[in-house]
Amino acid sequence: MACAIVCGESSPSHITLFRCLNRTLDSIKDNIAHIFANILGCQANTDANARNFRGEDLLPFTFEHFIKQWGEDNHLSAQDWLSEKKNAGNDQDPHAVFNVLDQMLKDSLERLRTMRESISVAKIGFLGCTPKANYSEHMDIVRGLSVDGKLGSAFWLRRKMIKKGIIPDVSTHNYLLNGLCKAGDLEMANWLIREMLEMGPSPNCATYNTFIKGYCLLDNVDKALYVFSTMGNNGIRPNIITCNILVHALCKKGLVENAKKLLEEILDDDDDDDKTDSGIITLTTLMDGYFKNGNMIQALSLWVDIQRNTEVDVVAYNVLIHGFCLSRQMNFAYGYLCEMTKRGLLPDVFTYNTLISVLCKEGKFEEACNIYGIMPRMGITPDEVSYKIIIQGLCISGDVVTAHEFLLSMLEKLMVPEPLVWNSIIDCHGRYGDLSNAVFVKDQMSAFGVQPNAYTYNALIHAQVKGGNIIDALSLEKEMLLSGLSPDVVTYNLLIGGACNLGHIEFAIELYHKMLRIGLDPDIFTYTELIRGNCKIGNIKEAEKVLVRIQASSLPIDHVPFQILFKKYCKMREPDRACDIYQKWLARRNMSCSL
């Protein structure tokens, strides 16, 4: 029977076996076709443009198409394989047909393995080309998301890249780190740097500078200095930018001498090309620190060094002028203003704002307004800070009319001031009893899209209380609640004071209990107003109970509550009780002094 099969003779049993063999091979063909169709189909969906695969080319894919691509030498058929055995004799093993089938299956699987390996190599090459372009775009997206503060999405995309075996470069990690530091999430930033040290890419100096600046923004200079000390351990050399960040943070805390030592340490080791330009930034920061500490000699010594070693810029002159303004030496400030102009350095808006600020603090508003008038002629447009300084100064001095004129000037120049400016004018109108203008400014504030805050309403309530309009003041409290604002302790102190001034002590006590119900803690001003109100209507015993309550609390207490009771007893011609109150005040004062 074996001989008959090998020689190609036909018999019913032989034909049945031969058909079974062909069906087996057809099944193998179908499985191979299905496997390769899936492989190539998925790859084409991943990036069809990379290898010019088209969907219509893949749909009719069959095993014969695949065989045709790989060449006729790889084609397998039962007849061709068996034809190699035509010379076999009739003395073969009767089970040779099964050995033939087994060998055919082995050869088919071996060819399948070889072809799949070849396809895998092609697939790797196919995928290896596209990610380089795509991952570059992905890193740009991560950077953009980090700048926009969308850190969750940025880290999600970073994880996806790492899972595909691509680690973003150090610049991309620095963007992520900067976003975390701006958000104040220094714990996550610390984790990111540790992961960079373990997995890569290695942190560079910019990485550590960003991390140090993050701690400085949170006013945690100790942590910033610790990070600075670890840079050398990780093979990173600090540069002048590192120095600038730390010197600024140390000077801000008044540690100018420490900043100077750090400056000397880093500048001695720094050999960057931009050392001179960066050095003037650090020296200027240090000079500003000495000025703020009142150390004029050291500050001027640094000024001499700056002039000798570097080219002085506008910022250095601004620091110098600001230093003389702090010490109220306006003659020197004006002198250096002229000197910088002679050297071809035009003063900027910061220069003029410095002069306007110190003049307003000294009450020289006419001179401040003159400086403001000079700015446009020098080509400098006053900014919001310029207006804010002048308006606040004028409101403090009580010149609300001029302050309102400056506000209108801002609005004409399409500058919408912050709530503090509006509130200053509202408060000034209220202090002088001009309720109509105070309300008008508040309405104008809302019309320009600036939402009134608690201070706005407190200023209006104060104006209403001062005018004796307690009902209108209470309506403002309700308006606050409707606007989504929560009244604070100042709000209720004003209302309680207004009720006490009108002799409505019961209503004042009701407001006091309302404070407690909503979770506000009364302060010394609250109790002082209650003492004043009780004394005004003659409830002297209730006033003394309030005083005892203050003394039993941990609130700091001044002389005012004692003074109110002392004066009341004096008016009642009760010197003994007045003397007793005086003795209590002395005991309280001595206790405070001993602490």
Side-chain angles (χ1 to χ4, degrees), residues 575-593:
D576 293 339
R577 290 190 175 184
C579 184
D580 183 52
I581 293 295
Y582 180 72
Q583 292 298 327
K584 288 181 179 179
W585 174 66
L586 287 178
R588 183 78 180 190
R589 188 187 66 173
N590 294 335
M591 185 185 301
S592 300
C593 292

Side-chain angles (χ1 to χ4, degrees), residues 438-453:
V439 174
F440 172 76
V441 174
K442 181 255 182 184
D443 294 338
Q444 194 178 26
M445 176 182 183
S446 300
F448 277 91
V450 181
Q451 293 299 321
N453 54 23

Side-chain angles (χ1 to χ4, degrees), residues 86-107:
K86 286 183 180 179
N87 297 326
N90 294 331
D91 57 347
Q92 297 291 328
D93 187 349
H95 299 286
V97 64
F98 299 104
N99 294 334
V100 169
L101 177 60
D102 183 61
Q103 187 62 38
M104 290 175 66
L105 291 174
K106 286 182 180 179
D107 289 350

Side-chain angles (χ1 to χ4, degrees), residues 483-527:
S483 301
L485 297 173
S486 300
D488 55 14
V489 176
V490 177
T491 309
Y492 285 102
N493 285 348
L494 291 169
L495 293 172
I496 290 171
C500 290
N501 288 335
L502 295 175
H504 303 314
I505 189 63
E506 295 84 2
F507 183 59
I509 294 173
E510 183 181 338
L511 289 169
Y512 166 76
H513 289 297
K514 185 178 181 180
M515 288 179 66
L516 298 176
R517 285 197 305 271
I518 64 177
L520 293 175
D521 295 325
D523 57 14
I524 186 62
F525 299 101
T526 313
Y527 292 113

Side-chain angles (χ1 to χ4, degrees), residues 254-467:
L255 305 173
V256 186
E257 291 300 328
N258 293 19
K260 184 179 180 182
K261 292 178 182 178
L262 184 67
L263 171 65
E264 293 172 350
E265 175 184 342
I266 298 182
L267 283 182
D268 287 343
D269 297 333
D270 188 65
D271 57 356
D272 293 339
D273 295 335
D274 59 345
K275 176 177 177 179
T276 301
D277 293 337
S278 300
I280 190 174
I281 297 173
T282 318
L283 291 172
T284 302
T285 304
L286 195 59
M287 182 174 67
D288 183 56
Y290 278 124
F291 274 127
K292 290 177 178 177
N293 279 0
N295 195 338
M296 296 288 294
I297 296 176
Q298 288 289 345
L300 293 175
S301 175
L302 279 174
W303 171 249
V304 173
D305 291 340
I306 292 173
Q307 287 184 306
R308 182 186 302 120
N309 300 319
T310 60
E311 185 176 351
V312 183
D313 58 5
V314 175
V315 177
Y317 270 106
N318 285 343
V319 170
L320 185 65
I321 292 171
H322 182 253
F324 283 116
C325 288
L326 287 175
S327 61
R328 299 296 192 268
Q329 300 183 43
M330 296 304 297
N331 291 334
F332 287 103
Y334 285 128
Y336 280 104
L337 176 64
C338 296
E339 180 181 310
M340 69 181 294
T341 305
K342 290 178 181 177
R343 297 183 65 167
L345 298 173
L346 296 178
D348 57 13
V349 68
F350 182 84
T351 315
Y352 289 108
N353 286 347
T354 302
L355 295 172
I356 291 173
S357 177
V358 70
L359 291 171
C360 289
K361 288 178 181 178
E362 291 185 346
K364 300 178 179 179
F365 296 104
E366 185 177 353
E367 194 171 344
C369 291
N370 289 334
I371 296 291
Y372 165 82
I374 291 173
M375 292 175 68
R377 295 199 295 269
M378 296 294 294
I380 306 296
T381 302
D383 60 3
E384 292 186 13
V385 177
S386 311
Y387 284 103
K388 177 183 174 181
I389 294 170
I390 294 177
I391 290 173
Q392 282 188 294
L394 291 170
C395 289
I396 291 172
S397 67
D399 192 356
V400 67
V401 176
T402 307
H404 204 159
E405 291 176 357
F406 275 100
L407 173 63
L408 295 176
S409 178
M410 286 187 72
L411 298 175
E412 288 175 359
K413 295 177 181 178
L414 303 180
M415 292 184 186
V416 180
E418 59 185 21
L420 179 61
V421 176
W422 297 92
N423 293 340
S424 298
I425 297 177
I426 292 171
D427 180 65
C428 193
H429 278 303
R431 280 190 286 114
Y432 287 93
D434 192 354
L435 292 175
S436 60
N437 273 323
V439 174
F440 172 76
V441 174
K442 181 255 182 184
D443 294 338
Q444 194 178 26
M445 176 182 183
S446 300
F448 277 91
V450 181
Q451 293 299 321
N453 54 23
Y455 187 93
T456 311
Y457 283 99
N458 288 343
L460 291 170
I461 290 172
H462 180 247
Q464 296 288 0
V465 167
K466 194 171 182 180

